[in-house]
Amino acid sequence: MLNDLPALPNGARPIAIERADDPRIAAFRDIKERDLTGRHGKFIVEGTVVLRMLAAAHKTGSDFRAECILILKNRLAGVLDILSDFPADVPVYVAEAEVLDTIVGFHLHRGILALGVRVGSRERAQTIASLPETALVVAGCGLSNHDNMGAMFRNAAAFMADAVFLDATSCDPLYRKALRVSVGSVLSVPYHRGSDALSMLEALANEGFEIWSLSPAGKTEIRHIPPSPRMALVIGTEGEGLPPAVLSRFHSARIAQSPQLDSLNAGTASGLALYQMASAIGRI
Amino acid sequence: MLNDLPALPNGARPIAIERADDPRIAAFRDIKERDLTGRHGKFIVEGTVVLRMLAAAHKTGSDFRAECILILKNRLAGVLDILSDFPADVPVYVAEAEVLDTIVGFHLHRGILALGVRVGSRERAQTIASLPETALVVAGCGLSNHDNMGAMFRNAAAFMADAVFLDATSCDPLYRKALRVSVGSVLSVPYHRGSDALSMLEALANEGFEIWSLSPAGKTEIRHIPPSPRMALVIGTEGEGLPPAVLSRFHSARIAQSPQLDSLNAGTASGLALYQMASAIGRI
């Protein structure tokens, strides 16, 4: 029975969801299946860590907001502090495990979900113009793997990159798995997605960025990348790598490793290169 | 129809599997479900890259052998070169897509499987004794995540570590997902698993290893780890980290990063620390 739900610290009252077909929680239905389709700027948040990032997004004036929250009843008491960081007009739905599992289509042991929405978007030029004079950014070209996308954002946040730029062929970092693997960093690191790869890098070069493409065939080992006030690390797909037009037009960097292997995991590789660049400019 | 299978370059003749309940391929049945149970030294290999590593294991006198191979019919022609690297007495089974998918329990688009078996195992002392005078090793304590285990092996191979040591609470690196994420490195990097964590590290210290435990609270930033002829990097679980007894007894190292985050992904963190250590001793 859900009729004994306490009021939240922000004064809002949680709303009991007794049936899986309740239209108010339709956005959470079968989220695993629908993960592969675009969702018009809407995205699913899972777990307390990312929920906390979404709450923070409301306060920092970022591009993201919560539309509603769906919590397993026995997790409610444990997340009251996070819920009180949301505006009181964001509905908080509460369901028992059986109803929740039926809604989402699998056993959701963490029991913490939110529907987020992107409420603003910046043009590429605007995103570049907002960068500080000394800046470190990451550019992704053709990143189609959600794990690698999430890992790249997590590394960008860890090593204090100022922004991420993604070409139009890269996947949406708001996909459920990418967002989860990023541990919510997609909501905190400013990014722009949608450019043609070459024009995106040219635009950065025109604003004084030294462009370093990471590739197994790169010329400069990452420990020897010279520091410069504005640096961009370019990451390609794990399989095909970066297009020749990108590799030949800009600097290229490689990670020293055993000659018997082709390449590292793309997430690890982006972490290594970003760490070296952040280190070179004294950011970490 | 499968009655037109060509002989393999090594003279063996592929064996057609017409029914999913054929007892000869029982080991591949519902592999996803059985992934969570131990398999007495047997393991599942997926994809051409890892199959190639298994073929190499036969030649290098490693601890691993193939028991049998199961290939999707329309992939057979593309992997003849790899198959010819196996001894002719390793059965090669071939099935059409419908039969293969029924066997494994899901759509196996890569269509390349093998059943491997561990035929030998070394004691810990023996594994340590076989290390060169200048050595770099990785030690895992309580690593329960298959992804992180696989990533650690992949990094160990990339940065030319001589061996991996795992305590008894770490998961088996031969689990399907760990092996796949390692890109087969579990079959090429010598390892021992089963010790108590502290006794494992003491044994390495007794053989002249400087022990560096990686932790967000570590004392030495990884760029400042001094080189020594024998170095061991210790990796703990992502959540709980290393036990205090380990952290206080040996050196500890941290990775410089944004103060707003708790930690990097464990796979990425192991890659960063290993890269720095391999670099410090001039191995890469």
Side-chain angles (χ1 to χ4, degrees), chain B residues 159-178:
Chain B
F159 301 130
M160 306 178 82
D162 297 291
V164 171
F165 294 87
L166 302 170
D167 76 339
T169 69
S170 292
C171 69
D172 188 337
L174 290 172
Y175 271 127
R176 198 169 68 93
K177 194 172 188 195

Side-chain angles (χ1 to χ4, degrees), chain A residues 134-154:
Chain A
T134 299
L136 176 62
V137 304
V138 186
C141 298
L143 285 183
S144 55
N145 180 294
H146 298 176
D147 274 300
N148 291 338
M149 179 62 80
M152 193 182 77
F153 266 91
R154 187 174 182 178

Side-chain angles (χ1 to χ4, degrees), chain B residues 135-155:
Chain B
L136 175 62
V137 304
V138 186
C141 298
L143 286 183
S144 57
N145 180 294
H146 299 176
D147 275 300
N148 291 339
M149 178 62 81
M152 193 182 75
F153 267 90
R154 187 174 182 178
N155 293 331

Side-chain angles (χ1 to χ4, degrees), chain B residues 8 20 31 53 63 74-75 81 100 106 137 149 169 177-179 184 186 194 214 221 224 253 262 264:
Chain B
L8 302 176
I31 49 177
M53 304 283 275
D63 293 338
N74 68 20
R75 296 296 309 275
D81 64 319
L100 186 60
F106 59 99
V137 304
M149 178 62 81
T169 69
K177 194 172 188 195
L179 182 54
V186 175
L214 194 61
E221 209 283 328
H224 305 121
D262 263 3
L264 293 157

Side-chain angles (χ1 to χ4, degrees), chain A residues 51-112:
Chain A
L51 187 67
R52 206 182 290 275
M53 302 282 275
L54 185 59
H58 276 265
K59 296 188 173 173
T60 57
S62 85
D63 294 336
F64 306 105
R65 298 286 180 276
E67 283 213 341
C68 61
I69 298 168
L70 176 58
I71 306 281
L72 180 65
K73 191 192 171 203
N74 69 18
R75 296 296 310 276
L76 187 61
V79 294
L80 288 179
D81 64 319
I82 306 178
L83 294 178
S84 69
D85 281 344
F86 285 92
D89 63 354
V90 174
V92 176
Y93 300 114
V94 177
E96 299 279 12
E98 197 179 279
V99 175
L100 186 60
D101 289 356
T102 307
I103 293 168
V104 300
F106 60 98
H107 176 55
L108 189 84
H109 67 278
R110 298 200 281 187
I112 310 283

